[in-house]
Amino acid sequence: EETFSSQFGNYSFNIGNNFICWRLKNGSSKANFNEGDIEIGDEVVVYAQIQKFHQDAKDDKPERTILETGETEETTYVVKAKNGEKSEFPIEKPIKLIKLTMKVDVLLGLQWGDEGKGKVVDVLTPRYDIVTRFQGGPNAGHTLEFNGEKYVLRSIPSGIFQGGKINIIGNGVVLDPLLFMKEAKELAQSGHDITERLYISKKAHLILPTHRLLDKANEAAKGKAKIGTTGKGIGPTYTDKISRNGLRVGDILDNFTQKYEALKQRHLEQIASLNLLAVVKGSEAVATDGLEELEQDWMEGIEYLKQFKFIDSEHVVNNLLKEGKSVLCEGAQGSLLDVDFGSYPFVTSSNTVCAGACTGLGIAPNKIGDVFGIFKAYCTRVGAGPFPTELFDETGKKIRDIGH
């Protein structure tokens, strides 16, 4: 915060990247106070215009590119005479300029997911330079309509349809290379080449084929107490992350096959133990016969991933904020499925609340700006968790039919 006086004179108020502007009421703006521009009795609107820019050397002369422009509140002053000749702005208090700092806005679901976040994201994304995902895996996804076509995005941020925007999959996301490849190829077939505009955090964890099998084996071992997961391996992947056994996107670049084989063997041992418990609970054991075929497709997804830019998202996002770029974080699931604050244990495996954006991208809490919470006029939930207000009658059916 800087303090400036606003004495009338034949110069502009330039300090750093900030300068005070003025205009006559209903007139044009000016940055310089030149004698003769205003007369005694005129009403003058004074405000602070703030610009952020980067400066590059070109032919020994600095070249300035404006990144962001903002303005403070306007204040109107009446020009009065001074010594019978010159004019001044009679200011009792100095004008304060608040320097422009970019924030990260977050969009969240406030129920159990399926609130219609995708529709709102589609409206908001044109306002932002960068769109990010910060948690979750390839769940039901966000359904969007773009140029008359319907798309379902499960891992890729929704800003991918807005040309020129950077899209980032953050470190808090768990990524299935096979499902990601299918999703990206579908977009490419419809004319959306995302290879240049999508960045992936090196610290995002990978969902292995055996994670899917583990997911099913865990559910089978719980018997009637099962949670009702999507079966996509999301929970077991987060389990490996917290137990410090997981594979990350960055591991693709260094000795990957050895790391993969070690984790796969660990998973197969766990599945064998869970299958014994499942039989005791009266559930079917999970077969691993088709694993080799799954692995081949999955490894193809790994190779496909290599054409994308792997980044340290915590550095990239914070540097983009310093450059004056605007960032939108796109949440998945809903707040009532948060692993800490949701209806535990019938929850997802990540933090779906606003704090998840801090850990899932690597940004400080004071970098959070506006938070958009989305809910619909009625409640729905997936999975096997408690839902005391569920309607099984014709009213419930009608609400579902109209809503979907």
Side-chain angles (χ1 to χ4, degrees):
E1 185 174 287
E2 308 259 7
T3 301
F4 303 89
S5 64
S6 187
Q7 180 73 26
F8 178 73
N10 192 24
Y11 57 89
S12 60
F13 292 83
N14 291 285
I15 296 188
N17 301 343
N18 309 322
F19 56 90
I20 294 173
C21 293
W22 67 276
R23 65 170 179 265
L24 293 177
K25 203 104 176 187
N26 301 321
S28 59
S29 299
K30 301 200 75 172
N32 292 292
F33 302 96
N34 294 315
E35 199 165 341
D37 285 338
I38 55 176
E39 297 179 357
I40 296 170
D42 284 340
E43 287 188 331
V44 178
V45 179
V46 180
Y47 62 98
Q49 186 170 2
I50 306 168
Q51 290 185 343
K52 281 200 166 187
F53 60 88
H54 72 256
Q55 197 160 284
D56 298 315
K58 187 177 181 182
D59 299 329
D60 298 324
K61 294 181 180 180
E63 185 178 61
R64 181 176 295 183
T65 303
I66 294 174
L67 300 172
E68 188 71 24
T69 300
E71 295 180 2
T72 61
E73 293 182 2
E74 299 177 340
T75 307
T76 301
Y77 298 102
V78 177
V79 179
K80 295 183 179 179
K82 181 182 180 182
N83 300 329
E85 295 181 1
K86 295 186 178 181
S87 304
E88 71 172 3
F89 297 115
I91 299 176
E92 296 178 2
K93 294 182 179 179
I95 297 174
K96 291 186 176 180
L97 304 188
I98 308 302
K99 286 189 175 180
L100 190 66
T101 54
M102 300 308 295
K103 300 281 188 178
V104 174
D105 293 344
V106 185
L107 184 137
L108 305 170
L110 298 184
Q111 296 167 324
W112 286 278
D114 300 316
E115 300 94 349
K117 294 184 291 295
K119 299 180 183 68
V120 181
V121 169
D122 202 22
V123 173
L124 290 178
T125 46
R127 308 180 192 176
Y128 295 88
D129 301 307
I130 296 99
V131 182
T132 70
R133 281 281 308 275
F134 61 88
Q135 50 78 220
N139 297 73
H142 293 170
T143 303
L144 305 173
E145 277 197 29
F146 192 78
N147 290 339
E149 296 286 332
K150 186 172 281 190
Y151 302 89
V152 179
L153 299 180
R154 293 179 172 85
S155 299
I156 297 170
S158 301
I160 209 68
F161 298 112
Q162 307 291 334
K165 296 186 186 299
I166 295 173
N167 293 264
I168 297 174
I169 295 176
N171 57 275
V173 174
V174 292
L175 193 65
D176 185 322
L178 177 57
L179 294 181
F180 172 83
M181 178 178 67
K182 290 178 178 178
E183 189 176 328
K185 283 185 174 181
E186 285 176 7
L187 288 171
Q189 287 170 4
S190 61
H192 301 283
D193 183 9
I194 64 174
T195 52
E196 296 298 321
R197 295 184 287 119
L198 178 64
Y199 302 165
I200 303 172
S201 171
K202 295 176 188 175
K203 297 179 178 68
H205 278 249
L206 295 169
I207 301 175
L208 277 60
T210 43
H211 279 131
R212 283 173 164 261
L213 299 177
L214 263 177
D215 207 347
K216 294 174 183 176
N218 272 314
E219 287 287 86
K222 287 184 172 73
K224 293 180 180 179
K226 67 180 182 179
I227 293 172
T229 71
T230 60
K232 293 182 177 178
I234 296 167
T237 306
Y238 277 113
T239 299
D240 275 349
K241 175 179 179 175
I242 299 303
S243 65
R244 304 180 296 278
N245 290 296
L247 272 181
R248 306 196 290 185
V249 169
D251 289 320
I252 295 173
L253 306 174
D254 179 45
N255 201 20
F256 181 69
T257 302
Q258 184 179 341
K259 294 174 183 177
Y260 171 79
E261 289 295 332
L263 186 55
K264 181 182 79 170
Q265 189 56 43
R266 175 185 171 88
H267 288 167
L268 291 174
E269 292 171 4
Q270 291 174 337
I271 291 166
S273 298
L274 288 166
N275 277 343
L276 292 174
L277 187 57
V279 172
V280 173
K281 294 285 184 75
S283 302
E284 284 188 30
V286 173
T288 58
D289 299 343
L291 179 58
E292 188 174 334
E293 186 179 343
L294 280 173
E295 277 184 316
Q296 290 177 356
D297 294 338
W298 191 84
M299 286 298 182
E300 185 186 343
I302 289 291
E303 289 302 312
Y304 185 83
L305 271 179
K306 291 179 181 178
Q307 66 185 299
F308 291 89
K309 187 175 182 179
F310 298 164
I311 63 168
D312 294 306
S313 58
E314 65 276 23
H315 297 306
V316 171
V317 172
N318 281 289
N319 285 335
L320 287 168
L321 289 173
K322 288 176 184 177
E323 292 174 10
K325 302 294 186 183
S326 53
V327 180
L328 176 66
C329 293
E330 180 182 356
Q333 293 91 40
S335 298
L336 298 180
L337 291 175
D338 184 272
V339 67
D340 286 304
F341 304 107
S343 50
Y344 191 88
F346 302 98
V347 292
T348 193
S349 305
S350 57
N351 287 113
T352 60
V353 295
C354 192
C358 296
T359 55
L361 277 177
I363 54 174
N366 66 357
K367 291 291 193 296
I368 300 295
D370 292 330
V371 181
F372 304 97
I374 310 301
F375 63 92
K376 56 184 181 244
Y378 60 101
C379 287
T380 59
R381 78 166 297 168
V382 297
F387 195 29
T389 60
E390 186 172 3
L391 297 175
F392 298 96
D393 54 13
E394 284 299 313
T395 301
K397 182 179 183 304
K398 186 172 183 179
I399 290 174
R400 286 194 298 273
D401 291 342
I402 294 172
H404 288 80

